[in-house]
């Protein structure tokens, strides 16, 4: 060839998730990693279960055959727009049929979904786009009263490398999802099973969420094995009540597990009983995953409900601690099998088993999926603690990551040299490998399953001109499990608490990150000599606050 061809210099960081060879061999030999891929299994199910209903959302129903057709149309359409396999695409959609068709379309085209939650706002979306070096953003015109097109405009202004914006619904100046037309001949062949299939986001204990690269092999193993533990088969009907992009309703066993089994997935546009119960009755749902406060709400509402909930076999509860008394109420109120689920987007998932005796189901958060999940419970110096004692939970295994994407600092902190992931959770391990979660060692607030980084919110508060210093801590809450409380030292005159809350919201953050409570103090701990760590400071403030609250209660 003569003449010059323009070469694009692609400096993008490659996506990798690598286990040492010996582990790869072991996980393959054990039959965990079978060389399946996400688009590969979807295609196979479309051939096998062509006319069975795969997805129900409102009045929309897709059979397995139609779901695959949509995936090909969307995947082909995105490539026709100029995206190339391997490009990363931030997806922000609620529990609508398009969430499933878009994600399947991305898998089909070898594009890499980055899963944002509908609650995320400009700050989080910009962070995901930058960290993932994403070239496209797919979202809805509106969802729950919010216009995502305005977010898309801000995003384009801030990060011009976002080449494409695709909108489900009225697209205005953007590309309409409905109009994507696929040149399916451009679609790639099947993917490498060990390649990264998508980026999940972490709960985020320090700063903004980290990106979690999961491979086809490791993720498929996690939901295939979950199907067995949760008895999901072709006759199951799985209700997605939590946001479909979250790892729990996606893969434990979630909607992907259900599709793998040839079962039916029902998307609930809201998590509350008012929306979910009529759907549950209509579609004869057999399994659902909930966070603890929601499970309690469902249990109470079930007693009064005129809807027939008798199809429900298993209610899974996870994402945050379900205390034994609450577990009892849920099991009784919903009159079906309760299953506790303790998992994390980084990998490890624990389940109580359906055949476990009641005391195990009520009092523990289950045991790991895999015989090859290597769980360590260690003290502050990294030494194993005796069985039954509380310690830090570390884990490595066939579906737990060895590294985050594009974050050397977090990697150095979160993984040991021999590849264990430091979960940040404090647990007790009981005989049989059952775990009881004690709480977090690191500073994040688990607000009804939504994780908030103390540091991230402190940073935003500190940017306010009237804030001299701020420390954000978790406070026990009867309904949410934990709520967030910001202790603030004002610079000069105290601002109003509502003004500070509004300030945090105006930073373009998810609403669940706005502090629930703001307490003004004159100074932080004067007793400590020299500089005390933020962690100690937060612990002191929390203790002080709770002591004061207890004293007040005693006085009443
Ligand atoms: C799930 O995933 P993430 O990534 O949003 O959050 C993980 C963290 C855990 O490290 C733990 O601190 C907390 O959430 N957590 C629980 C819990 N389940 C999760 N804490 C106490 N009891 C439980 N049952 O939340 C997630 C992912 C897959 C399945 C289920 C939950």
């Amino acid at each position: 060839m003569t003449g010059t061809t323009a070469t694009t210099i692609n400096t993008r960081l490659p996506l990798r998730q690598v286990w040492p060879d010996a582990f790869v061999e072991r996980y393959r030999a054990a039959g965990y990693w079978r060389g399946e891929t996400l688009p590969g299994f979807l295609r196979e199910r479309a051939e096998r279960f062509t006319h069975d209903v795969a997805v129900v959302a409102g009045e929309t129903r897709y059979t397995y055959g139609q779901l695959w057709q949509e995936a090909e149309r969307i995947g082909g359409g995105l490539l026709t727009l100029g995206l190339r396999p391997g490009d990363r695409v931030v997806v922000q959609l609620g529990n609508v049929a398009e969430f499933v068709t878009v994600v399947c379309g991305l898998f089909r085209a070898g594009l890499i979904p980055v899963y944002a939650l509908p609650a995320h706002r400009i700050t989080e979306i910009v962070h995901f786009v930058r960290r993932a070096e994403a070239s496209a953003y797919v979202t809805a015109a509106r969802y729950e009263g919010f216009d995502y097109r305005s977010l898309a405009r801000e995003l384009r202004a801030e990060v011009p490398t976002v080449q494409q914006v695709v909108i489900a619904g009225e697209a205005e100046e953007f590309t309409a999802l409905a109009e994507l037309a696929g040149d399916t001949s451009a679609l790639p062949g099947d993917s490498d099973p060990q390649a990264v299939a998508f980026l999940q986001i972490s709960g985020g204990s320090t700063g903004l969420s980290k990106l979690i690269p999961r491979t086809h092999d490791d993720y498929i193993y996690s939901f295939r094995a979950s199907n067995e533990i949760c008895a999901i088969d072709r006759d199951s009907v799985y209700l997605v009540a939590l946001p479909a992009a979250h790892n729990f309703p996606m893969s434990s066993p979630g909607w992907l597990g259900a599709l793998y089994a040839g079962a039916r997935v029902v998307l609930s546009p809201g998590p509350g009983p008012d929306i979910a119960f009529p759907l549950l009755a209509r579609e004869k749902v057999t399994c659902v995953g909930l966070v603890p406060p929601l499970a309690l709400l469902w249990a109470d509402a079930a007693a009064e409900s005129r809807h027939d909930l008798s199809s429900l076999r298993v209610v899974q509860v996870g994402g945050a601690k379900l205390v034994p008394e609450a577990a009892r109420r849920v099991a009784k109120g919903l009159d079906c099998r309760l299953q506790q689920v303790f998992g994390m987007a980084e990998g490890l998932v624990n389940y109580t088993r359906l055949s476990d005796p009641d005391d195990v189901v009520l009092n523990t958060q289950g045991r790991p999926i895999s015989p090859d999940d290597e769980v360590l419970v260690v003290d502050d110096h990294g030494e194993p603690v005796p069985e039954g004692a509380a310690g830090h939970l570390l884990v490595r295994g066939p579906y737990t990551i060895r590294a985050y994407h594009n974050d050397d600092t977090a990697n150095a902190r979160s993984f040991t040299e021999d590849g264990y992931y430091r979960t940040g959770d404090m647990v007790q391990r009981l005989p049989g490998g059952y775990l009881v979660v004690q709480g977090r060692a690191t500073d994040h607030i688990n607000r009804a399953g939504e994780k908030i980084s103390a540091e991230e919110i402190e940073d935003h508060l500190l940017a306010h001109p009237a804030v001299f210093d701020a420390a954000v801590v978790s406070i026990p809450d009867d309904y949410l499990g934990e709520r967030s409380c910001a202790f603030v030292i004002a610079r000069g005159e105290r601002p109003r608490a509502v003004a500070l809350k509004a300030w945090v919201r105006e930073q373009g953050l998810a609403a669940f990150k706005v502090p629930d409570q703001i307490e003004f103090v004159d100074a932080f701990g004067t007793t400590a000599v020299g500089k005390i760590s933020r962690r100690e400071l937060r612990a002191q403030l929390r203790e002080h606050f709770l002591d004061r609250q207890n004293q007040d209660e005693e006085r009443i």
Side-chain angles (χ1 to χ4, degrees), residues 246 248 252 319-321 341-345 425 437 440 446 451:
H246 189 270
F248 178 17
S252 306
K321 174 87 181 242
V341 188
F342 162 42
M344 52 209 72
D425 291 313
V437 180
R440 294 282 302 173
N446 189 337
K451 318 301 184 308

Side-chain angles (χ1 to χ4, degrees), residues 201-204 212 246-249 251-252 292 317-322 340-349 351 365 421 423-425 437 439-440 444 446 449-451:
I201 58 166
S202 77
I212 300 172
H246 189 270
N247 201 59
F248 178 17
S251 67
S252 306
V317 183
K321 174 87 181 242
L322 184 70
Q340 294 216 36
V341 188
F342 162 42
M344 52 209 72
E346 286 82 354
L348 180 70
V349 182
Y351 294 101
Q365 279 64 60
Y421 167 55
T423 65
D425 291 313
V437 180
R440 294 282 302 173
H444 88 193
N446 189 337
E450 300 204 276
K451 318 301 184 308

Side-chain angles (χ1 to χ4, degrees), residues 443-454:
D443 288 299
H444 88 193
I445 297 112
N446 189 337
R447 189 181 189 276
E450 300 204 276
K451 318 301 184 308
I452 306 163
S453 149

Side-chain angles (χ1 to χ4, degrees), residues 327-350:
R328 221 167 273 125
R329 270 174 57 196
V330 172
K332 191 156 171 276
L334 290 169
D335 192 25
C336 65
R337 200 72 196 136
L338 168 68
Q339 179 176 53
Q340 294 216 36
V341 188
F342 162 42
M344 52 209 72
E346 286 82 354
L348 180 70
V349 182
N350 304 274

